[in-house]
Amino acid sequence: MAHVQVRDVPRTIPAPGPAPQPSPFPPPDDPATARTPPAFRDVLRHRHCGRLLISSVTGRLSLGMVPVALILAAQADGHSLATASLLAAFYGIAPALGLPLLGRLADLRGLSLPCHLGAALVATALATLALTGTSHLPLAAVCAVLAGAGSPPLEGGLRSLWHTVLPDDAHVRTAYTLDSSAQQIVYVTGPALAIAMSTWLSPAAALALAAAVTLAGSLAFAAARPARTWRAAPRRRERLGVLRPPAMRTLLLSLVFLGATVGALDVVGIAVAERQDASWLAGALPAAFSAAGLAGGVLFARFQPATVLRARHLMLLGAAFAACWLPLLAPIPAPAILLLIMLPGALFVPLLTVAGLTVTSLAPAGTSTEAVGWMSGAIRLGLAGGTALAGPLGGHFAVPVMAAALCALLLIARTAPVAAPTAT
């Protein structure tokens, strides 16, 4: 009996160039893989890796900036918090459709076209909002949707390129962890930058800055040689495409619930801060979660299995992530809450890393960028849903606890049996 393993990024080929050569990667059981996993610095010292990561993160920084800037801009124009939050929700949900479409375009035509097209759309929409404001709500809503839907496929593109710029599977796995860790920077630095710019100048200036960083990061990413020459492997025409494998659909649904745990956290932090009469907890709670995520990513890169990650790793991480939320249901003081939130935070990046590897392993050949687009869209849909549900439900920790539990149940009940079947 042999088990199908969770493999890394599907094979891509450069274009133009010679026909693909046999993979230089050692097989999973090769003794050469049983060594200390590469560290982040081992990935970044390879040519192009630093530029690709920095430009990708820069281009994605607007994802953390725009929701806060939209809320502040709408409030400055006299709208209620509910209306302002609705504009931010439009922006947050739109990438769930836009990222898979631009990812598919990247798999069909290369990365340059969708990166340039998406960056231009985002910059135009945000510049329009910065110039006209949010007084005309229908126009503001359209601009918010276009800015979200046009988000360039930088995450999917980066993950498709790791295979072409790194020497083996072990480096690719570490690169996935590095990218997942860097996403924490987007959602910590982005809001802080938007607030600082809004306070110093205006919310319109924050929107303009978000447009500028998207344009600069996307153009720098698309101009890198690996991005210019990359082409996906030939793909077969299929009705469902990336969504054809049943395990893929289940996994993406589980990622919606994973995103909901984080989306609910900002609202929960505010509600818990009020109940505990500790205003500092509202900002400290998501910050501690993100800081623990960065630390968890570093530790996972250092101590991850030296062999190919398997489906059981995804199940175990999902179950542990859900279990780590349970202590937060107890009536405990604010300092204890701040410490306990670091437990699920530390597991978030490892879980996201293994989920990303699983998504790309399940994707049919030639669909790696679109697959990561579906993954990113699912998580962002969960982020918006978690934020929307946490308020009406009182901002209790029960919301992220239930979302994490549903995520774990889906991973255990469906993903493992389908992703890792046995063969005789």
Side-chain angles (χ1 to χ4, degrees), residues 140-402:
V142 170
C143 287
V145 170
L146 291 176
S151 298
L154 298 175
E155 182 182 0
L158 180 63
R159 297 192 175 196
S160 294
L161 291 177
W162 285 135
H163 181 84
T164 68
V165 296
L166 292 170
D168 54 40
D169 282 348
H171 282 79
V172 170
R173 292 196 297 272
T174 298
Y176 265 62
T177 308
L178 175 60
D179 183 38
S180 297
S181 300
Q183 288 190 62
Q184 303 302 301
I185 299 174
V186 170
Y187 294 107
V188 173
T189 305
L193 191 57
I195 292 171
M197 184 62 68
S198 298
T199 303
W200 181 40
L201 293 175
S202 68
L207 289 169
L209 179 61
V213 296
T214 301
L215 199 59
S218 301
L219 293 180
F221 180 85
R225 186 176 182 276
R228 293 198 316 270
T229 60
W230 177 86
R231 294 294 184 272
R235 58 187 293 170
R236 293 192 308 172
R237 292 182 178 271
E238 295 179 345
R239 185 168 58 90
L240 292 177
V242 168
L243 301 179
R244 178 177 58 82
M248 177 70 84
R249 301 194 291 270
T250 304
L251 179 56
L252 291 174
L253 181 58
S254 73
L255 292 176
V256 173
F257 291 114
L258 178 63
T261 63
V262 182
L265 192 57
D266 287 336
V267 180
V268 170
I270 295 171
V272 172
E274 292 176 354
R275 290 195 293 267
Q276 295 273 353
D277 193 23
S279 58
W280 57 269
L281 194 60
L285 204 64
F289 184 91
S290 296
L294 287 171
V298 172
L299 291 174
F300 183 73
R302 177 65 181 82
F303 297 107
Q304 65 178 303
T307 56
V308 173
L309 294 169
R310 300 171 188 268
R312 67 170 181 269
H313 297 116
L314 183 61
M315 290 189 295
L316 290 173
L317 284 169
F321 180 73
C324 285
W325 285 97
L326 293 176
L328 291 161
L329 294 175
I332 51 179
I337 292 176
L338 195 63
L339 289 175
L340 287 175
I341 197 63
M342 298 178 76
L343 295 177
L347 289 173
F348 180 75
V349 167
L351 178 56
L352 193 61
T353 299
V354 181
L357 290 166
T358 308
V359 164
T360 50
S361 75
L362 292 171
T367 64
S368 60
T369 313
E370 181 187 349
V372 178
W374 280 106
M375 174 183 169
S376 301
I379 293 173
R380 290 191 61 80
L381 185 62
L383 286 168
T387 302
L389 288 175
L393 295 178
H396 292 287
F397 274 112
V399 178
V401 167
M402 288 301 298

Side-chain angles (χ1 to χ4, degrees), residues 114-144:
C115 285
H116 291 154
L117 179 64
L121 185 58
V122 171
T124 302
L126 293 181
T128 301
L129 280 170
L131 291 172
T132 63
T134 61
S135 298
H136 191 270
L137 276 178
L139 176 61
V142 170
C143 287

Side-chain angles (χ1 to χ4, degrees), residues 13 43 58 127 196 238 260 309 407:
I13 56 174
V43 170
T58 300
E238 295 179 345
L309 294 169
C407 173

Side-chain angles (χ1 to χ4, degrees), residues 104-117:
R104 173 172 290 191
L105 181 60
D107 288 327
L108 292 173
R109 299 288 300 276
L111 287 167
S112 295
L113 176 61
C115 285
H116 291 154
L117 179 64

